[in-house]
Amino acid sequence: MKKADVFDFFRRLAEANPHPETELESGNTYQLLVAVVLSAQATDAGVNKATRRLFAEVTTPAQMVALGEEGLKEHIKTIGLFNSKAKNVIALSQALIDHHDGVVPGERDALEKLAGVGRKTANVVMNVAFGAETFAVDTHLFRVCNRTGLARGKTPLAVELKLEKAVRQPFRLHAHHWLILHGRYICKARRPECWRCPVVDLCAYKPKTPPPAVAA
């Protein structure tokens, strides 16, 4: 995608949604970190449903450790891979207590040393909690970037590095949220809704999907 088209691409997404936000619910940075870890291979809606009661009781790493792995499992058992996620959340909570005075660090290296935290999770926390201009490449963003031609790559890291070069101000801070939401609600995996896409003329995907009535 040409530089001018990339700018126009994000300009249109920004006009449609000037203040995009994560759909994961949290009350502080620690809860955000836990929610993102729990969201791997799960929907944000499913995570929110499971964490509302949990986060009403647990707001700090110390409270999570006190709750314990079995207690946490009872809260998150509706989420996929809840056994391993519970183990990771307790481990990362203890690590925050032991090495960071119970405070979530804002640096990628420190975040990635925590149990269950990979590059994508670290990028989300850095962006949402600390205002870093990072690009968290999930399945939606990976699909949109490859399908549209915005930033093609065979791996999430390859897509992330291309976005780093392609996205300019004033769009860098919110870019990954616009792309994730676009992939979640319009540029869907099985059937992209091209007929209501604000960037359809900039997109390399062919053939464009017609409206349901026309398709029928």
Side-chain angles (χ1 to χ4, degrees):
M1 193 177 291
K2 297 178 181 178
K3 289 184 179 180
D5 289 342
V6 172
F7 187 91
D8 205 27
F9 185 99
F10 284 105
R11 179 187 61 79
R12 296 183 198 179
L13 295 183
E15 287 179 354
N17 185 3
H19 305 289
E21 297 179 347
T22 178
E23 294 186 327
L24 288 171
E25 298 172 1
S26 64
N28 59 35
T29 303
Y30 170 67
Q31 290 183 339
L32 172 67
L33 172 61
V34 171
V36 180
V37 169
L38 295 178
S39 70
Q41 300 182 49
T43 66
D44 287 2
V47 172
N48 291 338
K49 185 176 180 180
T51 58
R52 282 175 190 138
R53 189 165 63 89
L54 171 66
F55 287 165
E57 300 176 17
V58 176
T59 62
T60 68
Q63 290 173 336
M64 187 68 79
V65 171
L67 177 65
E69 190 173 327
E70 294 305 315
L72 177 56
K73 286 180 183 179
E74 284 300 308
H75 283 279
I76 66 171
K77 59 187 177 183
T78 57
I79 301 175
L81 306 175
F82 72 93
N83 284 313
S84 60
K85 289 178 180 178
K87 182 177 181 179
N88 284 336
V89 168
I90 296 300
L92 73 83
S93 300
Q94 188 64 58
L96 289 175
I97 295 169
D98 293 343
H99 305 295
H100 301 283
D101 296 321
V103 177
V104 177
E107 301 78 30
R108 180 182 283 114
D109 288 346
L111 285 166
E112 289 188 7
K113 290 178 181 178
L114 300 173
V117 178
R119 188 178 181 91
K120 185 196 76 172
T121 296
N123 280 342
V124 172
V125 173
M126 290 168 62
N127 178 269
V128 176
F130 300 102
E133 295 173 352
T134 55
F135 303 90
V137 182
D138 72 348
T139 55
H140 296 297
L141 194 149
F142 185 79
R143 178 178 66 256
V144 170
C145 286
N146 276 286
R147 180 183 276 169
T148 62
L150 174 65
R152 288 195 169 113
K154 293 183 178 181
T155 66
L157 180 58
V159 169
E160 179 186 338
L161 295 178
K162 285 192 175 182
L163 285 173
E164 283 281 1
K165 294 181 179 180
V167 183
R168 296 289 180 261
Q169 299 293 7
F171 307 119
R172 290 180 61 84
L173 179 61
H174 296 307
H176 94 268
H177 277 130
W178 282 314
L179 293 171
I180 289 170
L181 294 172
H182 187 65
R184 184 172 292 164
Y185 296 111
I186 296 179
C187 196
K188 300 177 181 179
R190 293 187 178 181
R191 185 177 175 81
E193 299 181 0
C194 302
W195 66 89
R196 65 185 192 91
C197 175
V199 292
V200 63
D201 58 309
L202 303 175
C203 172
Y205 178 73
K206 294 179 181 180
K208 307 298 183 186
T209 309
V214 175

